[in-house]
């Protein structure tokens, strides 16, 4: 056995394959962010300079890896975990049958003159983390480990049936949302990955993934990140690791999950969903259905689902589904620098505080960034003097009530029914226009039309109802003059009318009074 730093260009196909097999052999410590697939896709997508990157490797007699720690240069004689800012955590990757791999890596770091080392969010639950820290100390390093975050994990016993029984409360919670959606629309989940999946299937799935990202609160993926993620999925698919789950409402993609099955771990990599569906709780539905699909399908020989990894960061959903939360440590090691060794804990705390403050300030600046004003022109909508003058029956108009809030939330992209009224100014109203309510009009207290949204299937008009027609119907019903503001390059700065097409048609009653209703259930 020998250990040495390797340049990325030294890594050939055989070494890369051994690297990936090494990670997969780590059972409950297998992590897609430790694989060569992730390493190579990150290099490919972000074009990091390879001369500043080394993979500290413990090699067997055939020059294949038995232990690994990818690093990048962050200063003279200073090294850190490769691409730390793009990964949620990092491991020292050691084969389960190699008891001295972490010690050998520590020795290689000391021999090659690494005087400062920063390791990003090392899992405290991994025995190799403790062995590496002990090895660094044995090689003369002063080591400081600080809790930075925590993993969000759930042990699995008995496959999907046991997992579902363990989280029976969340199962019922997700089932209620799914039942509510199925009462109105068809709800399906497509799986991409596994036997018979073609490369073109992943291409089509990734196109849906990027589109949903752009429609989510996260915003569109940056080109470099999209390239890296697409390459990661392609590389992982060759090992049958990657799974894409697309939740569709009436055939329309609403939410999507990316998962990896690696070793004995099912890892939830990322999610994206169309915010217009937020009021339906589809984030909860896709989470639980994805877990069912990934745990219930057959796993490779020698592996079984023993752990669900929901990734670091805390959310209300993860707090319910991840009862095991072992600490992640930021580890700093210093050698041959006595002053730095003395101040190491203080420096680490100061750096963490500075990064937290900078992140907070960036978020505040982003929220406070001025919005570029849109030039608009005012359109005055008077009520019709005689709505029957053309021989047409006037559109019925009535004010929306509490029973209509779910439809309003879906049509306008609110995160829930309670947000329909949240922040509503005194005098603001919602109006439903049409025999079968196919248009929503949001009217401000100053009689300005703020929003016009499609709602339900319009069988009478072969085209979308223009906003001024819907506003005219409301103006006529109220007997008042309304105003709306449409974008106009020659206009003055203002707030333009929001036009919201609903993501899927809301089913409406076929008989009886005009009222939103469940599919096939007249009221």
């Amino acid at each position: 056995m020998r250990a040495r730093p390797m340049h990325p260009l030294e890594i050939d196909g055989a070494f890369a394959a051994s690297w990936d097999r090494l990670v997969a052999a780590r059972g409950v410590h297998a992590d897609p962010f430790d694989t060569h697939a992730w390493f190579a896709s990150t290099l490919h997508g972000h074009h990091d300079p390879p001369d500043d990157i080394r993979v500290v490797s413990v090699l067997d007699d055939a020059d294949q890896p038995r232990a690994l720690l990818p690093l990048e240069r962050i200063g003279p004689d200073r090294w850190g975990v490769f691409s730390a800012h793009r990964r949620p955590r990092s491991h020292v990757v050691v084969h389960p049958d190699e008891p001295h791999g972490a010690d050998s890596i520590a020795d290689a770091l000391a021999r090659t003159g690494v005087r400062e080392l920063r390791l990003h969010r090392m899992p405290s639950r991994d025995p190799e983390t403790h062995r590496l820290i002990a090895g660094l100390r044995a090689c003369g390093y002063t080591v400081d480990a600080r809790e930075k975050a925590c993993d969000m994990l759930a042990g699995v016993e008995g496959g999907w049936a046991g997992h579902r029984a363990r989280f029976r409360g969340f199962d019922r919670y997700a089932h209620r949302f799914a039942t509510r959606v199925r009462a109105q629309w068809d709800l399906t989940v497509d799986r991409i990955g596994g036997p018979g999946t073609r490369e073109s299937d992943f291409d089509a799935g990734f196109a849906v993934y990027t589109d949903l990202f752009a429609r989510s609160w996260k915003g569109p993926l940056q080109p470099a990140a999209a390239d890296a993620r697409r390459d990661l999925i392609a590389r992982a698919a060759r090992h049958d690791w990657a799974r894409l789950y697309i939740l569709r409402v009436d055939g329309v993609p609403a939410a999507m999950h990316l998962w990896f099955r690696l070793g004995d771990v099912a890892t939830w990599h990322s999610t994206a969903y169309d915010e217009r569906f937020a009021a339906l709780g589809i984030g909860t539905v896709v989470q639980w259905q994805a877990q069912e699909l990934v745990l219930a399908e057959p796993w490779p020989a020698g592996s079984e689902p023993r752990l669900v990894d929901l990734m670091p960061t805390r959310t209300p959903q993860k707090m319910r589904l991840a009862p095991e939360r072992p600490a992640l440590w930021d580890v700093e090691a210093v050698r041959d620098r006595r002053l730095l060794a003395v101040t190491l804990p203080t420096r680490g705390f100061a750096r963490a505080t500075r990064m937290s403050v900078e992140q907070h300030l960036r978020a505040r600046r982003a929220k406070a960034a001025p919005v570029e004003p849109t030039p608009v022109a005012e359109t005055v909508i008077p009520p019709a003097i005689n709505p029957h003058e053309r021989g047409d029956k006037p559109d019925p108009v009535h004010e929306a009530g509490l029973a209509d809030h779910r439809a309003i939330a879906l049509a306008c992209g609110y995160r829930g029914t309670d947000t329909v009224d949240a922040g509503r100014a005194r005098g603001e109203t919602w109006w439903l226009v049409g025999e079968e309510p196919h248009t929503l009009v949001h009217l401000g207290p100053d009689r300005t039309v703020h929003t016009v949204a499609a709602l339900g299937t319009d069988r009478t008009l072969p085209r979308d109802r223009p906003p001024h027609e819907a506003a005219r119907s409301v103006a006529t019903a109220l007997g008042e003059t309304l105003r709306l503001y449409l974008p106009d390059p020659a206009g003055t700065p203002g707030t333009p009318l929001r036009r919201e097409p609903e993501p899927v048609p809301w089913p409406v009653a076929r008989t009886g009074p005009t009222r939103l209703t469940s599919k096939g259930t007249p009221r």
Side-chain angles (χ1 to χ4, degrees), residues 284-336:
T284 298
V285 177
V286 71
Q287 173 66 257
W288 200 232
Q289 295 207 2
Q291 289 203 30
E292 177 181 0
L293 290 170
V294 77
L295 294 177
E297 70 169 303
W299 279 50
S303 297
E304 60 176 334
R306 292 197 290 149
L307 190 70
V308 172
D309 179 1
L310 299 182
M311 306 284 279
T313 68
R314 295 171 180 254
T315 66
Q317 187 181 83
K318 290 184 183 183
M319 297 299 284
R320 297 184 66 174
L321 291 173
E324 291 105 52
R325 300 165 197 158
L328 295 172
W329 293 339
D330 275 359
V331 177
E332 287 195 67
V334 175
R335 185 171 184 264
D336 298 333

Side-chain angles (χ1 to χ4, degrees), residues 187-192 201 204-209 212 243-249 251-258 286 289-290 293:
L187 182 68
T188 58
V189 179
D190 299 339
R191 186 191 72 185
I192 300 176
D201 297 329
F206 191 73
V208 175
Y209 180 81
L212 286 174
R243 293 293 185 271
L244 293 171
Y245 301 108
I246 307 173
L247 184 143
R248 300 178 185 270
V249 177
V252 178
M256 192 164 182
H257 270 208
L258 169 58
V286 71
Q289 295 207 2
L293 290 170

Side-chain angles (χ1 to χ4, degrees), residues 38 85 118 165 205 270-271 295 332 340-341 373 382 403 499 506 509:
W38 183 82
H85 59 292
R118 294 181 191 170
S270 53
T271 184
L295 294 177
E332 287 195 67
L340 290 181
R499 298 187 64 183
W506 185 281

